[in-house]
Amino acid sequence: MSKTIKISIYKEKIFVYSFFLKNSDIVKGDIKMISSPRTAFILQIHKNPEQVNKFIKQLISEGHADVFVHIDKRNYGKISGKIVKSPFVKVLKESIICEWGDISQVSTTILLLREVMATKKNYDFVCLRSGQDLVVKDGFKNFLLNNERKVFMTLRNVSKFNLGLMEINWPKTTRKRYTTAHPNRIYRRVLQSLYRKGLNIFPNANYWPKEYAFYNGSQWFSIPLEVANYIIDFLDKNEWYYKYFENTLCPDEWFFHTLIMNSHYKTDVVNNNHMFLKWGEKFSEQSSPQYLTIDDIQSIEESGHFFARKFDEDIDQSVVEYFANKVKFCNKHDKEVHAFS
């Protein structure tokens, strides 16, 4: 077999490497016809397409990831044409109005997971992120390859203090974000206070198995493809599960955690989603992470996390540029290790 044929087969078998290896490297290197699996990133976005593109480029720069993008229906027309064009990027045509604290957050994630499953590609992990995230530390691809069966998501304590989010039938008007002392926010506190005292005046009457315990944590996760397949298969066979969460509050922080922790994948869960967040102390700052600025760089880098949010280039473009230009999902060392024997 000639060297030319060897190169042709190499490009066919592991095409994701062809654009960053020189021909001389291919001929001289002792190359195995096996490549590391790709990673699927699923993004829920609603604004700042230029900033989102910087994040996407961090993820796909070395050809080790595919990115699936859902754009909030309210901004789809304004944003869809501005997302970077790449064979590694797919913008979903179907779009949902995605509200804070509402089941629409869960529906969006399920839609993205189904899109990944439909490709029939053998991804290693499926990672849920937002359009206001950035990669802030090198080496996440290598980390995933070394932890191939682990489920990465945060877990918080569940008690009477927060279980009302699931066991109360929350009116639609309460499932919105308020940053001031809005009547609906006060109403939410009243309902939760009564629940904690043993009075649930609007109980969630949907079916829930007694043997199923509730679990919750941050929305963002990294899960093996096998677990993503399990989630979709479970939902298709158990319609009651989604139904229960329809009128709960902040179901995106309970839905997937509860499903996974009530499965045999529970033992694979690592209580860490590798996401840096900064929380405020004021009343108006407690419902959402705070925006990150150039002043947070030291804290972000010292945290050791691979990702951080929330960034907004309308608030501080310099911190976005700093990480977008410095850090990638897969760095040069990672690709060399997994391209050659």
Side-chain angles (χ1 to χ4, degrees):
M1 183 180 292
S2 70
K3 289 180 180 179
T4 302
I5 296 176
K6 284 182 179 180
I7 294 171
S8 176
I9 292 175
Y10 174 75
K11 287 185 177 181
E12 179 182 350
K13 292 286 185 179
I14 30 183
F15 65 94
V16 295
Y17 296 115
S18 63
F19 69 93
F20 62 76
L21 290 176
K22 296 179 181 178
N23 284 353
S24 58
D25 294 328
I26 296 171
V27 174
K28 295 177 182 179
D30 179 16
I31 300 172
K32 290 185 176 181
M33 305 309 286
I34 300 173
S35 64
S36 59
R38 299 166 67 73
T39 302
F41 283 88
I42 53 177
L43 308 188
Q44 299 183 191
I45 77 168
H46 67 283
K47 59 184 288 188
N48 291 2
E50 292 81 8
Q51 178 181 320
V52 172
N53 286 340
K54 291 182 177 68
F55 182 36
I56 291 175
K57 289 175 182 178
Q58 284 186 301
L59 299 175
I60 68 172
S61 63
E62 306 297 344
H64 283 264
D66 291 333
V67 180
F68 300 79
V69 182
H70 175 274
I71 302 172
D72 189 295
K73 190 172 184 177
R74 290 165 293 193
N75 295 321
Y76 188 90
K78 299 177 182 178
I79 295 178
S80 60
K82 297 179 180 179
I83 299 301
V84 63
K85 303 297 188 295
S86 166
F88 303 142
V89 178
K90 180 172 184 179
V91 176
L92 273 62
K93 293 181 180 179
E94 186 175 351
S95 187
I96 297 170
I97 294 177
C98 209
E99 298 278 9
W100 177 93
D102 185 63
I103 191 65
S104 56
Q105 292 279 348
V106 172
S107 300
T108 300
T109 304
I110 294 173
L111 185 64
L112 284 161
L113 289 174
R114 290 190 185 279
E115 198 70 34
V116 172
M117 301 300 107
T119 68
K120 305 296 184 182
K121 291 183 180 179
N122 189 31
Y123 295 109
D124 55 357
F125 278 80
V126 181
C127 305
L128 174 63
R129 300 291 186 267
S130 83
Q132 294 186 281
D133 300 1
L134 288 172
V135 187
V136 295
K137 177 185 175 182
D138 287 322
F140 189 58
K141 178 61 179 181
N142 206 39
F143 175 83
L144 293 178
L145 290 170
N146 291 325
N147 293 275
E148 58 182 14
R149 289 195 56 84
K150 298 300 182 183
V151 175
F152 297 101
M153 61 183 187
T154 61
L155 293 170
R156 307 188 189 114
N157 292 329
V158 175
S159 67
K160 203 73 174 177
F161 182 81
N162 58 4
L163 197 53
L165 299 177
M166 296 295 99
E167 295 191 338
I168 295 173
N169 186 52
W170 293 93
K172 177 68 175 177
T173 55
T174 63
R175 302 195 301 272
K176 292 183 179 180
R177 175 183 286 133
Y178 301 100
T179 58
T180 60
H182 191 279
N184 280 335
R185 195 173 186 185
I186 297 171
Y187 181 54
R188 283 203 307 247
R189 293 202 167 202
V190 170
L191 289 182
Q192 290 220 69
S193 178
L194 291 173
Y195 173 85
R196 291 163 188 163
K197 295 175 181 178
L199 181 60
N200 187 355
I201 59 177
F202 299 121
N204 186 343
N206 289 311
Y207 169 73
W208 188 256
K210 291 182 179 180
E211 65 273 17
Y212 267 60
F214 284 104
Y215 296 86
N216 83 325
S218 173
Q219 174 182 3
W220 318 108
F221 58 66
S222 298
I223 59 177
L225 180 69
E226 179 182 334
V227 178
N229 274 310
Y230 172 82
I231 289 172
I232 296 303
D233 185 62
F234 179 91
L235 295 176
D236 288 342
K237 295 177 179 177
N238 298 275
E239 294 182 4
W240 59 266
Y241 189 84
Y242 180 91
K243 182 69 176 177
Y244 184 87
F245 288 88
E246 283 186 322
N247 293 322
T248 60
L249 185 59
C250 299
D252 52 299
E253 298 185 348
W254 297 74
F255 189 94
F256 300 102
H257 300 71
T258 298
L259 197 160
I260 292 171
M261 291 298 289
N262 281 282
S263 76
H264 62 282
Y265 294 109
K266 177 178 181 177
T267 57
D268 297 322
V269 173
V270 177
N271 185 13
N272 191 342
N273 65 359
H274 303 285
M275 179 74 71
F276 177 89
L277 300 171
K278 183 176 75 172
W279 295 95
E281 297 181 359
K282 298 178 182 178
F283 178 79
S284 61
E285 300 173 341
Q286 293 175 0
S287 64
S288 181
Q290 299 303 288
Y291 289 108
L292 301 171
T293 69
I294 199 78
D295 296 331
D296 297 306
I297 288 178
Q298 183 176 349
S299 296
I300 294 169
E301 293 184 330
E302 289 178 351
S303 74
H305 289 303
F306 288 105
F307 296 84
R309 68 182 307 266
K310 296 183 330 187
F311 295 96
D312 191 326
E313 60 184 7
D314 293 334
I315 293 174
D316 191 332
Q317 186 173 2
S318 58
V319 69
V320 173
E321 295 291 344
Y322 175 84
F323 285 112
N325 293 328
K326 180 181 180 182
V327 188
K328 301 292 184 289
F329 165 56
C330 177
N331 56 35
K332 182 178 179 180
H333 173 70
D334 289 339
K335 71 184 181 187
E336 289 177 348
V337 168
H338 299 294
F340 294 95
S341 59

